Coordinates of all heavy atoms in Angstrom, one line a residue:
M1 N 131.2 13.5 124.0 CA 132.3 14.3 124.5 C 133.1 14.9 123.3 O 133.5 16.0 123.4 CB 133.1 13.5 125.4 CG 134.2 14.2 126.1 SD 133.5 15.3 127.3 CE 135.0 16.0 128.0
K2 N 133.3 14.0 122.3 CA 134.1 14.4 121.2 C 133.3 15.5 120.4 O 134.0 16.5 119.9 CB 134.3 13.2 120.3 CG 135.3 13.4 119.2 CD 135.5 12.1 118.5 CE 136.7 12.3 117.4 NZ 136.9 11.1 116.7
N3 N 132.0 15.5 120.4 CA 131.2 16.5 119.7 C 131.3 17.8 120.4 O 131.3 18.9 119.8 CB 129.8 16.1 119.5 CG 129.6 15.0 118.5 OD1 130.5 14.9 117.6 ND2 128.6 14.2 118.5
V4 N 131.3 17.7 121.8 CA 131.4 18.9 122.6 C 132.7 19.7 122.3 O 132.8 20.9 122.2 CB 131.2 18.6 124.1 CG1 131.5 19.8 125.0 CG2 129.9 18.0 124.3
I5 N 133.8 18.9 122.3 CA 135.2 19.5 122.1 C 135.2 20.1 120.7 O 135.7 21.2 120.5 CB 136.3 18.5 122.3 CG1 136.3 18.1 123.8 CG2 137.6 19.0 121.9 CD1 137.2 16.9 124.1
T6 N 134.7 19.4 119.7 CA 134.7 19.9 118.3 C 133.9 21.1 118.2 O 134.3 22.1 117.6 CB 134.1 18.8 117.4 OG1 134.9 17.6 117.6 CG2 134.2 19.2 116.0
S7 N 132.7 21.1 118.9 CA 131.9 22.3 118.9 C 132.5 23.5 119.5 O 132.5 24.6 119.1 CB 130.5 22.0 119.6 OG 129.8 21.0 118.9
L8 N 133.2 23.3 120.7 CA 133.9 24.3 121.4 C 135.1 24.9 120.5 O 135.3 26.1 120.4 CB 134.5 23.9 122.7 CG 133.4 23.7 123.8 CD1 134.1 23.1 125.0 CD2 132.8 25.0 124.2
L9 N 135.8 24.0 119.9 CA 136.9 24.4 119.0 C 136.4 25.2 117.8 O 136.9 26.2 117.4 CB 137.7 23.2 118.5 CG 138.6 22.6 119.6 CD1 139.3 21.3 119.0 CD2 139.7 23.5 120.0
L10 N 135.3 24.8 117.2 CA 134.6 25.5 116.1 C 134.1 26.8 116.6 O 134.3 27.8 115.9 CB 133.5 24.6 115.6 CG 132.8 25.2 114.3 CD1 133.8 25.4 113.2 CD2 131.6 24.3 113.9
A11 N 133.6 26.9 117.8 CA 133.1 28.2 118.3 C 134.3 29.1 118.5 O 134.2 30.3 118.2 CB 132.3 28.0 119.6
L12 N 135.4 28.6 119.1 CA 136.6 29.4 119.3 C 137.2 29.9 117.9 O 137.6 31.1 117.8 CB 137.7 28.6 120.0 CG 137.5 28.4 121.5 CD1 138.5 27.5 122.1 CD2 137.5 29.8 122.2
L13 N 137.1 29.0 116.9 CA 137.6 29.4 115.6 C 136.7 30.5 115.0 O 137.2 31.5 114.4 CB 137.6 28.2 114.7 CG 138.1 28.4 113.2 CD1 139.5 28.9 113.2 CD2 137.9 27.2 112.4
V14 N 135.4 30.5 115.2 CA 134.5 31.5 114.7 C 134.8 32.8 115.4 O 134.9 33.9 114.8 CB 133.0 31.0 114.9 CG1 132.1 32.2 114.7 CG2 132.7 29.9 114.0
V15 N 135.0 32.8 116.7 CA 135.3 34.0 117.5 C 136.6 34.6 117.0 O 136.7 35.8 116.8 CB 135.3 33.7 119.0 CG1 135.8 34.9 119.8 CG2 133.9 33.3 119.5
A16 N 137.6 33.7 116.8 CA 138.9 34.2 116.3 C 138.8 34.9 115.0 O 139.4 35.9 114.7 CB 139.9 33.1 116.3
V17 N 138.0 34.3 114.1 CA 137.8 34.8 112.8 C 137.1 36.2 112.8 O 137.5 37.2 112.2 CB 137.1 33.9 111.8 CG1 136.6 34.5 110.6 CG2 137.9 32.7 111.5
I18 N 136.1 36.3 113.7 CA 135.4 37.5 113.9 C 136.3 38.6 114.4 O 136.3 39.8 113.9 CB 134.1 37.3 114.8 CG1 133.1 36.5 114.1 CG2 133.6 38.7 115.2 CD1 131.9 36.0 114.9
L19 N 137.1 38.3 115.4 CA 138.0 39.2 116.0 C 139.1 39.7 115.0 O 139.4 40.9 114.9 CB 138.7 38.7 117.3 CG 137.8 38.5 118.5 CD1 138.5 37.8 119.6 CD2 137.2 39.8 118.9
L20 N 139.6 38.7 114.3 CA 140.6 39.1 113.3 C 140.0 39.9 112.1 O 140.7 40.8 111.6 CB 141.2 37.8 112.7 CG 142.2 37.0 113.6 CD1 142.6 35.7 113.0 CD2 143.4 37.9 113.9
S21 N 138.8 39.7 111.8 CA 138.2 40.5 110.7 C 138.0 41.9 111.2 O 138.1 42.9 110.4 CB 136.9 39.9 110.2 OG 135.9 39.9 111.2
E22 N 137.6 42.1 112.5 CA 137.4 43.4 113.0 C 138.7 44.1 113.1 O 138.8 45.3 112.7 CB 136.8 43.3 114.4 CG 135.3 42.9 114.4 CD 134.4 43.9 113.7 OE1 134.6 45.1 113.9 OE2 133.6 43.4 113.0
D23 N 139.8 43.4 113.5 CA 141.1 44.0 113.5 C 141.6 44.4 112.1 O 142.2 45.4 111.9 CB 142.1 43.0 114.2 CG 143.5 43.6 114.4 OD1 143.5 44.7 115.0 OD2 144.5 43.0 114.0
L24 N 141.3 43.5 111.2 CA 141.7 43.8 109.8 C 140.9 45.1 109.3 O 141.5 45.9 108.6 CB 141.3 42.6 108.9 CG 141.7 42.8 107.4 CD1 143.2 43.0 107.2 CD2 141.2 41.6 106.7
K25 N 139.7 45.3 109.6 CA 138.9 46.5 109.2 C 139.6 47.7 109.9 O 139.7 48.7 109.2 CB 137.5 46.4 109.7 CG 136.7 45.4 108.9 CD 135.2 45.3 109.4 CE 134.5 44.1 108.7 NZ 133.1 44.0 109.3
E26 N 140.0 47.6 111.1 CA 140.6 48.7 111.8 C 142.0 49.1 111.1 O 142.3 50.2 110.9 CB 140.8 48.4 113.3 CG 139.6 48.4 114.1 CD 139.8 48.0 115.5 OE1 141.0 48.0 116.0 OE2 138.9 47.6 116.2
Q27 N 142.7 48.0 110.8 CA 144.0 48.2 110.1 C 143.8 48.9 108.7 O 144.6 49.7 108.4 CB 144.8 46.9 110.0 CG 145.2 46.3 111.3 CD 146.2 47.2 112.1 OE1 147.0 47.8 111.5 NE2 146.0 47.2 113.4
E28 N 142.8 48.4 108.0 CA 142.5 49.0 106.7 C 142.2 50.5 106.8 O 142.6 51.3 106.0 CB 141.4 48.2 106.0 CG 141.8 46.9 105.5 CD 140.7 46.1 104.9 OE1 139.5 46.5 105.1 OE2 141.0 45.1 104.2
A29 N 141.4 50.8 107.9 CA 141.0 52.2 108.1 C 142.2 53.0 108.4 O 142.4 54.2 107.9 CB 140.0 52.3 109.2
L30 N 143.1 52.5 109.3 CA 144.3 53.2 109.6 C 145.2 53.4 108.4 O 145.8 54.5 108.1 CB 145.1 52.5 110.7 CG 144.5 52.6 112.1 CD1 145.2 51.7 113.1 CD2 144.4 54.0 112.6
L31 N 145.3 52.4 107.5 CA 146.1 52.4 106.3 C 145.5 53.5 105.4 O 146.3 54.3 104.8 CB 146.2 51.1 105.7 CG 147.0 50.9 104.4 CD1 148.5 51.3 104.7 CD2 146.9 49.5 103.9
D32 N 144.2 53.5 105.2 CA 143.6 54.5 104.4 C 143.9 55.9 104.9 O 144.2 56.8 104.1 CB 142.1 54.3 104.3 CG 141.7 53.1 103.5 OD1 142.6 52.6 102.7 OD2 140.6 52.6 103.6
E33 N 143.9 56.1 106.2 CA 144.2 57.4 106.8 C 145.6 57.8 106.5 O 145.9 58.9 106.1 CB 143.9 57.3 108.3 CG 144.1 58.6 109.0 CD 143.8 58.5 110.5 OE1 142.9 57.8 110.8 OE2 144.5 59.2 111.2
L34 N 146.5 56.8 106.6 CA 147.9 57.1 106.4 C 148.2 57.4 104.9 O 148.9 58.3 104.6 CB 148.8 55.9 106.8 CG 149.0 55.7 108.2 CD1 149.8 54.4 108.5 CD2 149.8 56.9 108.8
V35 N 147.5 56.7 104.0 CA 147.6 57.0 102.6 C 147.1 58.4 102.3 O 147.7 59.2 101.5 CB 146.9 56.0 101.7 CG1 146.7 56.4 100.3 CG2 147.6 54.6 101.8
D36 N 146.0 58.8 102.9 CA 145.5 60.2 102.7 C 146.4 61.2 103.2 O 146.7 62.2 102.5 CB 144.1 60.3 103.4 CG 143.0 59.5 102.7 OD1 143.2 59.1 101.5 OD2 142.0 59.3 103.4
K37 N 147.0 61.0 104.3 CA 148.0 62.0 104.9 C 149.2 62.0 104.0 O 149.8 63.1 103.8 CB 148.4 61.6 106.3 CG 147.3 61.9 107.3 CD 147.8 61.5 108.7 CE 146.7 61.8 109.7 NZ 147.1 61.5 111.1
H38 N 149.7 60.9 103.5 CA 150.8 60.8 102.6 C 150.5 61.6 101.3 O 151.4 62.4 100.9 CB 151.2 59.4 102.3 CG 152.3 59.2 101.3 ND1 153.6 59.5 101.7 CD2 152.4 58.9 100.0 CE1 154.4 59.3 100.7 NE2 153.7 58.9 99.6
N39 N 149.4 61.4 100.8 CA 149.0 62.2 99.5 C 148.9 63.7 99.8 O 149.4 64.4 98.9 CB 147.7 61.6 99.0 CG 147.8 60.3 98.4 OD1 148.9 59.8 98.0 ND2 146.7 59.5 98.3
E40 N 148.4 64.1 100.9 CA 148.4 65.5 101.3 C 149.8 66.0 101.4 O 150.1 67.1 100.9 CB 147.6 65.7 102.6 CG 146.1 65.5 102.5 CD 145.5 65.6 103.9 OE1 146.1 66.1 104.8 OE2 144.3 65.1 103.9
H41 N 150.7 65.2 102.0 CA 152.1 65.7 102.2 C 152.8 65.8 100.8 O 153.5 66.7 100.6 CB 152.8 64.7 103.1 CG 154.2 65.1 103.4 ND1 154.6 66.2 104.1 CD2 155.4 64.6 102.9 CE1 155.9 66.3 104.2 NE2 156.4 65.3 103.4
L42 N 152.5 64.9 99.9 CA 153.0 64.9 98.6 C 152.6 66.2 97.9 O 153.4 66.9 97.2 CB 152.7 63.7 97.8 CG 153.4 62.4 98.0 CD1 152.9 61.3 97.2 CD2 154.9 62.6 97.8
K43 N 151.3 66.5 98.0 CA 150.8 67.8 97.4 C 151.5 69.0 98.0 O 151.9 69.9 97.2 CB 149.3 67.9 97.6 CG 148.5 66.9 96.7 CD 147.0 67.1 97.0 CE 146.2 66.0 96.3 NZ 144.8 66.1 96.6
Y44 N 151.7 69.0 99.3 CA 152.4 70.1 100.0 C 153.8 70.2 99.5 O 154.3 71.3 99.2 CB 152.3 69.9 101.5 CG 153.2 70.9 102.2 CD1 152.7 72.2 102.4 CD2 154.4 70.5 102.8 CE1 153.4 73.1 103.1 CE2 155.2 71.4 103.5 CZ 154.7 72.7 103.7 OH 155.4 73.6 104.3
T45 N 154.5 69.1 99.4 CA 155.9 69.1 99.0 C 156.1 69.5 97.5 O 157.0 70.2 97.2 CB 156.7 67.8 99.3 OG1 156.0 66.7 98.7 CG2 156.8 67.6 100.8
E46 N 155.1 69.1 96.7 CA 155.1 69.5 95.3 C 155.0 71.0 95.2 O 155.6 71.7 94.4 CB 154.1 68.8 94.5 CG 154.4 67.3 94.2 CD 153.2 66.6 93.6 OE1 152.1 67.2 93.3 OE2 153.3 65.4 93.3
G47 N 154.1 71.6 96.0 CA 153.9 73.0 96.0 C 155.1 73.7 96.5 O 155.5 74.8 95.9
Q48 N 155.8 73.2 97.5 CA 157.0 73.8 98.0 C 158.1 73.7 96.9 O 158.9 74.7 96.8 CB 157.5 73.1 99.3 CG 156.6 73.3 100.5 CD 156.6 74.8 100.9 OE1 157.7 75.4 100.9 NE2 155.5 75.3 101.2
M49 N 158.2 72.6 96.2 CA 159.1 72.5 95.1 C 158.9 73.5 94.0 O 159.8 74.1 93.5 CB 159.1 71.1 94.6 CG 160.2 70.8 93.5 SD 161.9 71.0 94.2 CE 162.0 69.5 95.2
D50 N 157.6 73.7 93.7 CA 157.3 74.8 92.7 C 157.8 76.1 93.2 O 158.3 76.9 92.4 CB 155.8 74.8 92.4 CG 155.3 73.5 91.7 OD1 156.2 72.8 91.1 OD2 154.1 73.3 91.7
V51 N 157.6 76.4 94.4 CA 158.0 77.7 95.0 C 159.5 77.8 94.9 O 160.1 78.9 94.5 CB 157.5 77.9 96.4 CG1 158.2 79.1 97.1 CG2 156.0 78.1 96.5
L52 N 160.2 76.8 95.3 CA 161.7 76.8 95.2 C 162.2 76.9 93.8 O 163.2 77.7 93.6 CB 162.3 75.5 95.9 CG 162.1 75.4 97.4 CD1 162.5 74.0 97.8 CD2 162.9 76.4 98.1
I53 N 161.6 76.3 92.9 CA 162.0 76.4 91.5 C 161.8 77.8 91.0 O 162.6 78.4 90.3 CB 161.3 75.4 90.6 CG1 161.8 74.0 90.9 CG2 161.4 75.7 89.1 CD1 161.0 72.9 90.2
S54 N 160.6 78.4 91.4 CA 160.4 79.8 91.0 C 161.4 80.8 91.6 O 161.9 81.7 90.9 CB 159.0 80.2 91.5 OG 158.7 81.6 91.3
H55 N 161.8 80.5 92.9 CA 162.8 81.4 93.5 C 164.1 81.2 92.8 O 164.9 82.1 92.7 CB 162.9 81.0 95.0 CG 161.8 81.5 95.9 ND1 161.1 82.6 95.6 CD2 161.3 81.0 97.0 CE1 160.1 82.8 96.5 NE2 160.3 81.8 97.4
Q56 N 164.4 79.9 92.5 CA 165.7 79.7 91.8 C 165.8 80.4 90.5 O 166.8 81.0 90.1 CB 165.9 78.2 91.5 CG 167.2 77.8 90.8 CD 167.3 76.4 90.5 OE1 166.3 75.6 90.5 NE2 168.5 75.9 90.2
K57 N 164.7 80.5 89.7 CA 164.6 81.2 88.4 C 164.8 82.7 88.7 O 165.5 83.4 87.9 CB 163.3 80.9 87.7 CG 163.2 79.5 87.1 CD 161.9 79.3 86.5 CE 161.8 77.9 86.0 NZ 160.4 77.6 85.4
D58 N 164.1 83.2 89.8 CA 164.3 84.6 90.1 C 165.7 84.9 90.4 O 166.3 85.9 90.0 CB 163.4 85.0 91.3 CG 161.9 84.9 90.9 OD1 161.6 84.9 89.7 OD2 161.1 84.9 91.9
I59 N 166.4 84.1 91.2 CA 167.8 84.3 91.7 C 168.7 84.2 90.4 O 169.6 85.1 90.3 CB 168.2 83.3 92.7 CG1 167.4 83.6 94.0 CG2 169.7 83.3 93.0 CD1 167.5 82.6 95.1
T60 N 168.4 83.3 89.5 CA 169.2 83.2 88.3 C 169.1 84.4 87.5 O 170.1 84.9 87.0 CB 168.8 81.9 87.5 OG1 169.0 80.8 88.4 CG2 169.7 81.7 86.3
S61 N 167.9 84.9 87.3 CA 167.7 86.1 86.6 C 168.4 87.3 87.2 O 169.1 88.1 86.5 CB 166.2 86.5 86.5 OG 165.5 85.5 85.8
I62 N 168.3 87.5 88.5 CA 169.0 88.6 89.2 C 170.5 88.4 89.0 O 171.3 89.4 88.8 CB 168.6 88.6 90.7 CG1 167.2 89.0 90.8 CG2 169.5 89.6 91.4 CD1 166.6 88.8 92.2
Y63 N 171.0 87.2 89.2 CA 172.5 86.9 89.0 C 172.9 87.3 87.6 O 174.0 88.0 87.4 CB 172.8 85.5 89.3 CG 174.2 85.1 89.1 CD1 175.2 85.4 90.0 CD2 174.6 84.4 87.9 CE1 176.5 85.0 89.8 CE2 175.9 84.0 87.7 CZ 176.8 84.3 88.6 OH 178.1 84.0 88.4
E64 N 172.2 86.9 86.6 CA 172.6 87.3 85.2 C 172.5 88.8 85.0 O 173.4 89.4 84.3 CB 171.6 86.6 84.2 CG 171.9 85.1 84.2 CD 170.8 84.3 83.4 OE1 169.8 85.0 82.9 OE2 171.0 83.1 83.2
Y65 N 171.5 89.4 85.6 CA 171.4 90.9 85.4 C 172.6 91.6 86.1 O 173.2 92.5 85.5 CB 170.1 91.4 86.0 CG 170.0 92.9 86.2 CD1 169.8 93.7 85.0 CD2 170.2 93.5 87.4 CE1 169.7 95.1 85.1 CE2 170.2 94.9 87.5 CZ 169.9 95.7 86.3 OH 169.9 97.0 86.4
L66 N 173.0 91.1 87.3 CA 174.1 91.7 88.0 C 175.4 91.5 87.2 O 176.3 92.3 87.2 CB 174.2 91.2 89.4 CG 173.1 91.6 90.4 CD1 173.2 91.0 91.7 CD2 173.1 93.2 90.5
G67 N 175.5 90.3 86.6 CA 176.7 90.0 85.8 C 176.8 91.0 84.6 O 177.9 91.5 84.2
E68 N 175.6 91.3 84.0 CA 175.6 92.2 82.8 C 176.0 93.6 83.3 O 176.7 94.3 82.7 CB 174.2 92.2 82.2 CG 173.9 91.0 81.4 CD 172.4 90.9 81.0 OE1 171.7 92.0 81.1 OE2 172.0 89.9 80.5
V69 N 175.4 94.0 84.5 CA 175.8 95.3 85.0 C 177.2 95.4 85.3 O 177.9 96.4 85.0 CB 174.9 95.6 86.3 CG1 175.4 96.8 87.0 CG2 173.5 95.8 85.9
Q70 N 177.8 94.4 85.9 CA 179.2 94.4 86.2 C 180.1 94.4 84.9 O 181.1 95.1 84.9 CB 179.6 93.1 87.0 CG 181.0 93.0 87.4 CD 181.4 94.2 88.4 OE1 180.6 94.6 89.2 NE2 182.6 94.6 88.3
A71 N 179.6 93.7 83.9 CA 180.3 93.8 82.6 C 180.3 95.2 82.0 O 181.3 95.6 81.5 CB 179.7 92.7 81.7
R72 N 179.2 95.8 82.1 CA 179.1 97.2 81.6 C 179.9 98.1 82.4 O 180.6 99.0 81.8 CB 177.6 97.7 81.6 CG 176.8 97.2 80.4 CD 175.4 97.8 80.4 NE 174.5 96.7 80.8 CZ 173.4 96.9 81.5 NH1 173.1 98.1 81.9 NH2 172.7 95.8 81.8
R73 N 180.0 98.0 83.7 CA 180.8 98.8 84.5 C 182.3 98.6 84.2 O 183.1 99.6 84.1 CB 180.6 98.6 86.0 CG 179.3 99.1 86.5 CD 179.1 98.9 88.0 NE 177.8 99.5 88.4 CZ 177.3 99.2 89.6 NH1 177.9 98.4 90.4 NH2 176.1 99.7 89.9
S74 N 182.6 97.4 84.0 CA 184.0 97.1 83.7 C 184.4 97.7 82.3 O 185.5 98.2 82.1 CB 184.3 95.6 83.6 OG 184.1 95.0 84.9
F75 N 183.5 97.6 81.4 CA 183.7 98.2 80.0 C 183.9 99.7 80.1 O 184.8 100.3 79.5 CB 182.6 97.8 79.1 CG 182.8 98.4 77.7 CD1 183.7 97.8 76.9 CD2 182.0 99.4 77.3 CE1 183.9 98.3 75.6 CE2 182.2 99.9 76.0 CZ 183.1 99.4 75.1
V76 N 183.0 100.3 80.9 CA 183.1 101.8 81.1 C 184.3 102.2 81.8 O 185.0 103.1 81.4 CB 181.8 102.3 81.8 CG1 182.0 103.8 82.2 CG2 180.6 102.1 81.0
S77 N 184.7 101.5 82.8 CA 186.0 101.9 83.5 C 187.2 101.6 82.7 O 188.2 102.2 82.9 CB 186.0 101.2 84.9 OG 185.8 99.9 84.8
Y78 N 187.1 100.6 81.8 CA 188.3 100.3 80.9 C 188.5 101.4 79.9 O 189.6 101.8 79.6 CB 188.0 99.0 80.2 CG 189.0 98.6 79.1 CD1 190.3 98.2 79.6 CD2 188.8 98.8 77.8 CE1 191.3 97.9 78.7 CE2 189.8 98.4 76.9 CZ 191.0 98.0 77.3 OH 192.0 97.7 76.4
R79 N 187.4 102.1 79.5 CA 187.5 103.2 78.5 C 188.1 104.3 79.3 O 188.8 105.1 79.0 CB 186.1 103.6 78.0 CG 185.6 102.7 77.0 CD 184.3 103.2 76.6 NE 184.2 103.0 75.2 CZ 183.2 103.6 74.5 NH1 182.3 104.3 75.0 NH2 183.2 103.4 73.2

């Protein structure tokens, strides 16, 4: 009787280990998928940041140009 209970407990342990290993494989696959999506999102946001920096440089250049134009107009109207 003791051997039967031990065998059943061992069989349950084996089944539990098999189920847990399958669950672990599924979790690893989901984690890999999330990491891939995160990396794609990082690439996207880096691209967006590059665009924003480019726009900022353009706006700064325009602002400086308009400041120079305003300074020339002020100089001309002062004369």
Side-chain angles (χ1 to χ4, degrees):
M1 184 70 174
K2 194 174 184 182
N3 287 338
V4 173
I5 293 173
T6 305
S7 297
L8 285 174
L9 288 175
L10 186 58
L12 285 174
L13 181 61
V14 168
V15 170
V17 167
I18 291 171
L19 291 175
L20 287 173
S21 67
E22 289 297 318
D23 188 50
L24 182 60
K25 288 177 188 175
E26 290 175 15
Q27 294 297 323
E28 287 176 344
L30 289 173
L31 183 60
D32 289 342
E33 184 179 324
L34 285 174
V35 167
D36 290 343
K37 286 182 180 181
H38 177 72
N39 289 337
E40 288 175 16
H41 183 71
L42 283 178
K43 288 178 186 176
Y44 172 76
T45 54
E46 286 174 359
Q48 290 296 317
M49 185 60 73
D50 291 342
V51 169
L52 290 173
I53 289 170
S54 174
H55 287 331
Q56 181 183 16
K57 288 177 182 176
D58 292 343
I59 291 169
T60 302
S61 297
I62 292 169
Y63 175 78
E64 290 171 354
Y65 171 75
L66 291 175
E68 291 172 7
V69 168
Q70 183 64 32
R72 279 187 253 145
R73 285 185 182 166
S74 296
F75 179 74
V76 169
S77 52
Y78 175 72
R79 286 180 136 191

